Amino acid sequence: MHVETLAVRVGRTIDPCTRAVAPTIVLSTTFERAEDGSYPSGFTYARSDNPTRRALEQALAALEGGAVAAAFSSGNAATAAILSALQTGDHVVLPEETYHGTRLVATQVLARWGLHVSFADFSDPSAVQRAIQPNTRLVWVETPSNPTLRVTDIARVAEIAHAAGALCACDNTFATPALQQPLKLGADLVMHSTTKYIGGHSDVLGGVVVGREDSAFFQRVRDYQALGGASPSAFDCWLLLRSLPTLPLRIRAQSESAMRVAEFLASHPVVAKVHYPGLPRHPGHAVACRQMRGGFGGVVSFEVHGGAPAAMAVAAAVRVFTRATSLGCVESLIEHRASIPDAPPGIPPGLLRLSIGLEHPDDLIADLAQALSVL
Ligand SMILES: *Cc1c(COP(=O)(O)O)cnc(C)c1O
């Protein structure tokens, strides 16, 4: 079945007692035992499993084409679950341009427990190959990446990982399963910050790990979910289930508008550089065309001549865009990445990141045109 159908149909079963069509929220933390001590519903206690979370997990596994999923209370908790399923002394290769929170979980939390971490430029598969060590057990892909939208060839990197006896995990937050399905390209695990496109409305924090199969490794992710305790609330799971049916439509509309915004920016005289994989001269365009379908995502970054002061002046002048961090929501956002608290090194000072929402693209382009005119 197609993602549009799965997004509407999986995890949204008719309630057998009330015949309610919309999913119900089960807030109960505990579940009744039968006279013989058994658990007739299969549920015991909400940290281990609860019906609303299970429905969300089934839906997300189906959308990614996976067998299993584990939902978490944030994207970073999902990342921590995957990295914690490794052993002391194992080595993981991360992209140079990885989500900052992913880098910090690996280098500041798990490195203290003996995880070895190194970085490579994932837009070049041979650089990933060179980063492999005898104890490499995980290769972490993030594509398109944040904030310069570098593209990784998922199939190629998964092959490199498997040849080394390592797993390949892919952070699919920017693409969503509606545009890219890493498990079908050879990845073993998919991770999302569901805070972004999957939630889509700037009102819920969450994360998920989807596994291609119910492996021993995935069982450790599940154990971390139940024991580490970063469980999403039933209400948060319900909000995410509420968002799923519109995900394919939202990301496609956002991708179409992002393409138009990128083309506008690419032809503007004060713009020095545009980062968007949909543009034919983006270095990852050919790979993105092979592994994404239906669009290139809703995030566009660009650099203005004049560095940080010029970029800040543009961000200050917008009237439709909102100046805020995050991405994937219905409202368009603009952010000067180099000036965020604890900014990772290497962000070009004149870079602005846009998350394109669901406003009319003509209004977004007119807003950027008037904001760029201050320069
Ligand atoms: C936001 C984000 C995360 C972290 O997710 P949280 O929900 O903020 O914990 C991880 N990866 C990417 C690509 C993200 O954009």
Side-chain angles (χ1 to χ4, degrees), residues 149-215:
L149 291 304
R150 291 193 209 172
V151 173
T152 298
D153 185 334
I154 300 170
R156 186 73 201 92
V157 168
E159 266 172 31
I160 291 169
H162 294 157
L167 296 174
C168 175
C170 182
D171 182 338
N172 203 28
T173 301
F174 271 45
T176 85
L179 304 184
Q180 175 175 281
Q181 292 178 304
L183 300 180
K184 294 193 177 152
L185 297 164
D188 304 285
L189 299 160
V190 163
M191 169 266 160
H192 280 276
S193 167
T194 54
T195 314
K196 312 295 168 52
Y197 287 101
I198 290 178
H201 295 72
S202 311
D203 55 10
V204 57
L205 194 69
V208 71
V209 180
V210 181
R212 189 145 49 86
E213 56 189 19
D214 197 359
S215 59

Side-chain angles (χ1 to χ4, degrees), residues 120-132 156-157 160:
D121 174 5
F122 273 55
S123 55
D124 173 10
S126 67
V128 178
Q129 180 66 64
R130 285 194 300 278
I132 298 283
R156 186 73 201 92
V157 168
I160 291 169

Side-chain angles (χ1 to χ4, degrees), residues 226-247:
L227 303 173
S231 285
S233 75
F235 183 61
D236 287 354
C237 293
W238 182 87
L239 281 172
L240 292 167
L241 273 174
R242 175 82 161 77
S243 294
L244 277 185
T246 58
L247 172 67

Side-chain angles (χ1 to χ4, degrees), residues 9-372:
R9 289 293 166 183
V10 184
R12 300 170 68 84
T13 45
I14 306 281
D15 181 78
C17 302
T18 63
R19 302 274 145 195
V21 170
T24 42
I25 311 179
V26 179
L27 292 171
S28 188
T29 52
T30 187
F31 300 87
E32 191 188 34
R33 298 176 74 171
E35 289 84 347
D36 65 358
S38 65
Y39 295 92
S41 70
F43 296 100
T44 57
Y45 182 62
R47 174 154 42 72
S48 313
D49 201 358
N50 86 72
T52 317
R53 189 177 89 193
R54 195 187 282 183
L56 174 68
E57 291 173 344
Q58 284 168 348
L60 292 171
L63 285 177
E64 286 289 1
V68 276
F72 291 88
S73 54
S74 71
N76 254 33
T79 300
I82 295 175
L83 296 178
S84 300
L86 295 165
Q87 312 267 53
T88 297
D90 285 355
H91 173 246
V92 55
V93 189
L94 294 177
E96 263 165 18
E97 185 171 275
T98 189
Y99 178 74
H100 196 40
T102 305
R103 172 190 295 264
L104 295 180
V105 172
T107 59
Q108 298 202 357
V109 182
L110 288 156
R112 278 195 277 114
W113 290 80
L115 184 70
H116 297 253
V117 186
S118 54
F119 296 90
D121 174 5
F122 273 55
S123 55
D124 173 10
S126 67
V128 178
Q129 180 66 64
R130 285 194 300 278
I132 298 283
Q133 295 176 13
N135 56 340
T136 303
R137 291 293 166 266
L138 183 71
V139 176
W140 183 277
V141 174
E142 182 182 327
T143 183
S145 70
N146 177 28
T148 67
L149 291 304
R150 291 193 209 172
V151 173
T152 298
D153 185 334
I154 300 170
R156 186 73 201 92
V157 168
E159 266 172 31
I160 291 169
H162 294 157
L167 296 174
C168 175
C170 182
D171 182 338
N172 203 28
T173 301
F174 271 45
T176 85
L179 304 184
Q180 175 175 281
Q181 292 178 304
L183 300 180
K184 294 193 177 152
L185 297 164
D188 304 285
L189 299 160
V190 163
M191 169 266 160
H192 280 276
S193 167
T194 54
T195 314
K196 312 295 168 52
Y197 287 101
I198 290 178
H201 295 72
S202 311
D203 55 10
V204 57
L205 194 69
V208 71
V209 180
V210 181
R212 189 145 49 86
E213 56 189 19
D214 197 359
S215 59
F217 189 92
F218 192 85
Q219 193 49 53
R220 291 208 288 275
V221 170
R222 268 249 182 274
D223 290 346
Y224 186 93
Q225 180 194 38
L227 303 173
S231 285
S233 75
F235 183 61
D236 287 354
C237 293
W238 182 87
L239 281 172
L240 292 167
L241 273 174
R242 175 82 161 77
S243 294
L244 277 185
T246 58
L247 172 67
L249 286 175
R250 283 186 281 112
I251 185 73
R252 253 171 238 150
Q254 286 160 325
S255 298
E256 261 174 49
S257 296
M259 188 69 208
R260 287 198 46 201
V261 167
E263 282 166 348
F264 161 76
L265 291 168
S267 66
H268 198 286
V270 305
V271 174
K273 203 166 185 183
V274 183
H275 304 277
Y276 188 65
L279 293 175
R281 52 165 204 281
H282 183 283
H285 181 67
V287 175
C289 286
R290 265 205 318 274
Q291 68 187 17
M292 301 178 82
R293 56 174 160 69
F296 300 94
V299 179
V300 181
S301 294
F302 66 103
E303 295 172 44
V304 289
H305 292 296
M312 291 295 266
V314 172
V318 294
R319 295 185 195 132
V320 177
F321 280 83
T322 302
R323 278 180 301 279
T325 195
S326 199
L327 55 110
C329 42
V330 293
E331 50 281 286
S332 292
L333 306 178
I334 184 166
E335 185 169 58
H336 181 243
R337 291 294 293 168
S339 60
I340 59 167
D342 303 317
I347 299 176
L351 183 134
L352 289 162
R353 186 184 73 188
L354 305 176
S355 170
I356 301 301
L358 291 175
E359 304 91 342
H360 197 287
D362 291 349
D363 295 331
L364 297 176
I365 289 169
D367 191 32
L368 289 170
Q370 68 77 26
L372 287 165

